[in-house]
């Protein structure tokens, strides 16, 4: 069998054994449930400060002229009002609860000084709205009596506002115009999925390597295949499963957000965001999986696996948290620009910096090229460590010993 055929055979075995285990199915279901719950919780916090339902105001024949002033006043106060023409008898029935219709107040009498009928005390917001509408009507009435045109006067007053020009905003630098909050939120959600997918995939690789060493299965396998083929097949197979997780979880996140209306009115290309996440998962996985697979061969017991995976976990968490705290404060800072070109930082920083729209056209392609250049070096390191350590038994093998050979 050819080398590629051997690697694919090992990868197929890893996909079947990892993807179909009960633990992985349960964990994937739990993560899907968390995404759905988080979407609804986010929807609650986004909508909890929304204003109440529209105010219901009844008007008589004499006060129906207050309809336009009431609606204009409600628009200025960022509230809604429904103006309903009705008789006083119908209004009293609605206010006392004898009728099914809901009513907050009824206006009757002189529109310049109307009587506001309420069930039990006037709502301050409603009273202010009626007062504004009444004053607007009285003002327009006085203008008409003086021979003026109220509509022309209102248009003139509405256009009498200054035009703001920002010196910082002209060149697009500085200020907050470059920050898109919803897009930033999507980017953070995406890199969170990326983080957990990388952690899960890396842990599976490390545990698989140590498990084979502990059971001595690796000795049988290496009698027929080369160590590099075994490591490559393992990384490829678990990578396929990791990519499946990213697509499923990222797609679930996008679908849940769209289904409950979180994406309504937001100019976010979810397809492009998912594509970017998949790209950085592939690059990030190639970088970290090689280290997890190679370094796990240094230990021979499951109890010791934490000694090699803990530093790698820090190598994942440090870029993630630095992205959270550094990028929002200064997305175009020198430190951020430099770190976002470092292969282990780029998968986390680049998507979030993209959310601010501050990336120069050359930055992302350069970071991708640097990551691709770093991968062969990591392949050499991981292969050398794995070849020297996979057949080592007993205590933990030092990294320096594995590299020296």
């Amino acid at each position: 069998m050819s080398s590629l055929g051997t690697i694919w055979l090992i990868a197929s075995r890893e996909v079947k054994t990892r993807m179909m285990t009960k633990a992985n199915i349960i964990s994937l279901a739990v993560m899907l449930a968390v995404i759905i719950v988080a979407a609804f919780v986010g929807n609650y916090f986004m909508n909890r400060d929304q204003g109440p339902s529209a105010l219901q105001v009844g008007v008589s024949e004499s006060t129906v002229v207050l309809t336009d002033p009431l609606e204009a006043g409600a628009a200025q106060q960022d509230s809604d009002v429904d103006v309903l023409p009705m008789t006083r008898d119908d209004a009293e029935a609605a206010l006392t609860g004898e009728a099914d219709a809901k009513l907050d107040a009824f206006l009757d009498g002189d529109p310049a000084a109307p009587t506001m009928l309420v069930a039990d005390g006037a709502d301050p917001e409603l009273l202010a709205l009626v007062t504004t509408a009444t004053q607007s009507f009285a003002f327009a009435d006085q203008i008409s009596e003086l021979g003026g045109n109220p509509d022309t006067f209102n248009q003139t007053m509405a256009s009498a506002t200054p035009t703001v020009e920002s010196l910082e905003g002209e060149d697009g630098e500085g200020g907050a115009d470059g920050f898109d909050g919803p897009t930033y939120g999507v980017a953070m959600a995406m890199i969170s999925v990326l983080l957990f997918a990388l952690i899960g995939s890396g842990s599976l690789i490390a545990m698989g390597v140590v498990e084979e060493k502990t059971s001595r299965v690796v000795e049988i396998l290496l009698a027929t295949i080369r160590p590099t083929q075994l490591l490559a097949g393992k990384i490829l197979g678990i990578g396929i499963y990791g990519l499946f997780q990213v697509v499923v979880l990222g797609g679930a996140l996008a679908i849940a957000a769209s289904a409950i209306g979180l994406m309504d009115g937001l100019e976010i290309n979810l397809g492009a965001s998912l594509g970017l996440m998949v790209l950085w998962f592939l690059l990030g996985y190639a970088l970290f999986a090689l280290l997890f697979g190679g370094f796990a061969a240094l230990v021979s017991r499951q109890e010791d696996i934490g000694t090699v995976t803990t530093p790698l976990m820090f190598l994942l968490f440090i870029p993630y948290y630095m992205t959270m705290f550094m990028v929002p404060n200064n997305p175009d800072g020198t430190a951020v620009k430099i770190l976002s070109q470092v292969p282990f930082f780029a998968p986390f920083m680049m998507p979030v910096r993209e959310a601010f729209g501050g990336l120069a056209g050359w930055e992302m392609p350069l970071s991708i090229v640097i990551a691709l250049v770093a991968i062969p070096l990591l392949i050499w390191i991981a292969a050398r460590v794995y070849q020297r350590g996979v057949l080592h038994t007993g205590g933990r093998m030092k990294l320096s010993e594995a590299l020296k050979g």
Side-chain angles (χ1 to χ4, degrees):
M1 184 179 293
S2 65
S3 179
L4 290 178
T6 301
I7 292 174
W8 180 248
L9 182 63
I10 299 170
S12 301
R13 164 182 167 270
E14 291 293 335
V15 171
K16 292 177 182 178
T17 56
R18 304 299 176 185
M19 187 176 294
M20 302 309 297
T21 60
K22 185 177 180 180
N24 283 330
I25 294 174
I26 293 175
S27 64
L28 185 61
V30 170
M31 286 188 285
L32 285 173
V34 169
I35 287 175
I36 294 172
V37 172
F40 280 99
V41 171
N43 184 52
Y44 165 75
F45 282 106
M46 289 181 65
N47 295 327
R48 66 174 181 172
D49 294 330
Q50 289 184 352
S53 57
L55 296 170
Q56 307 292 317
V57 179
V59 292
S60 64
E61 290 184 4
S62 60
T63 56
V64 72
V65 293
L66 294 176
T67 299
D68 290 341
L70 284 169
E71 292 176 348
Q76 292 177 357
Q77 296 179 9
D78 292 327
S79 60
D80 294 323
V81 63
D82 291 334
V83 182
L84 311 171
M86 61 178 60
T87 64
R88 185 181 179 91
D89 292 339
D90 292 339
E92 290 180 355
L95 289 170
T96 56
E98 297 177 5
D100 294 335
K102 174 184 174 296
L103 195 66
D104 295 300
F106 176 72
L107 303 180
D108 194 13
D110 182 4
T115 299
M116 189 170 77
L117 183 65
V118 296
D120 183 20
D123 179 78
E125 180 184 358
L126 178 57
L127 181 59
L129 175 61
V130 173
T131 300
T132 301
T134 302
Q135 291 174 349
S136 176
F137 171 80
F139 193 63
D141 188 56
Q142 290 296 315
I143 291 175
S144 297
E145 290 185 1
L146 294 173
N149 187 326
D151 292 336
T152 303
F153 178 80
N154 289 334
Q155 291 176 3
T156 303
M157 292 296 292
S159 62
T161 57
T163 300
V164 179
E165 290 186 5
S166 173
L167 294 178
E168 285 188 332
E170 289 181 358
D171 57 8
E173 297 181 0
D177 292 340
F179 175 64
D180 186 342
T183 306
Y184 170 72
V186 171
M188 290 306 303
M190 293 296 184
I191 67 168
S192 296
V193 172
L194 176 64
L195 173 70
F196 290 113
L198 290 175
I199 289 175
S201 301
S203 299
L204 284 176
I205 292 173
M207 289 187 294
V209 170
V210 177
E211 180 182 347
E212 289 173 352
K213 285 189 63 175
T214 303
S215 63
R216 311 300 286 268
V217 172
V218 68
E219 297 178 8
I220 300 175
L221 292 173
L222 293 182
T224 56
I225 60 176
R226 295 195 298 271
T228 52
Q229 293 175 333
L230 179 59
L231 178 61
K234 186 177 293 293
I235 290 176
L236 177 61
I238 295 178
I240 293 173
Y241 173 64
L243 181 60
F244 168 76
Q245 282 187 311
V246 168
V247 173
V248 169
L249 296 178
L253 181 66
I255 292 172
S258 299
I260 62 177
L262 290 179
M263 311 306 296
D264 292 348
L266 303 183
E267 296 181 358
I268 298 176
N269 189 332
L270 285 179
S273 298
L274 285 173
L276 192 63
M277 182 180 67
V278 169
L279 169 65
W280 284 114
F281 169 78
L282 293 174
L283 292 174
Y285 178 77
L287 295 168
F288 288 100
L290 289 166
L291 296 180
F292 273 97
F295 289 5
L298 296 174
V299 297
S300 303
R301 300 185 306 167
Q302 292 285 354
E303 295 83 359
D304 299 330
I305 197 171
T307 59
V308 293
T309 58
T310 299
L312 298 177
M313 291 295 183
F314 278 109
L315 195 58
L316 280 165
F317 280 112
I318 289 174
Y320 176 77
Y321 285 109
M322 288 183 70
T323 298
M324 290 181 62
F325 295 109
M326 290 182 65
V327 175
N329 294 327
N330 192 8
D332 295 324
T334 303
V336 172
K337 287 184 176 180
I338 294 174
L339 287 174
S340 61
Q341 298 297 332
V342 177
F344 297 112
F345 286 79
F348 299 99
M349 284 193 167
M350 278 299 174
V352 181
R353 288 190 64 202
E354 178 68 18
F356 288 85
L359 275 179
W362 55 269
E363 288 189 82
M364 186 170 293
L366 178 61
S367 66
I368 293 173
V369 170
I370 294 175
L372 291 174
V373 170
I375 289 174
L377 175 62
L378 293 176
I379 290 176
W380 180 84
I381 295 174
R384 191 172 182 85
V385 173
Y386 186 81
Q387 286 176 328
R388 305 288 192 287
V390 71
L391 294 177
H392 176 78
T393 57
R396 175 187 173 187
M397 186 179 191
K398 292 183 179 180
L399 178 61
S400 57
E401 294 177 5
L403 290 175
K404 289 178 181 179

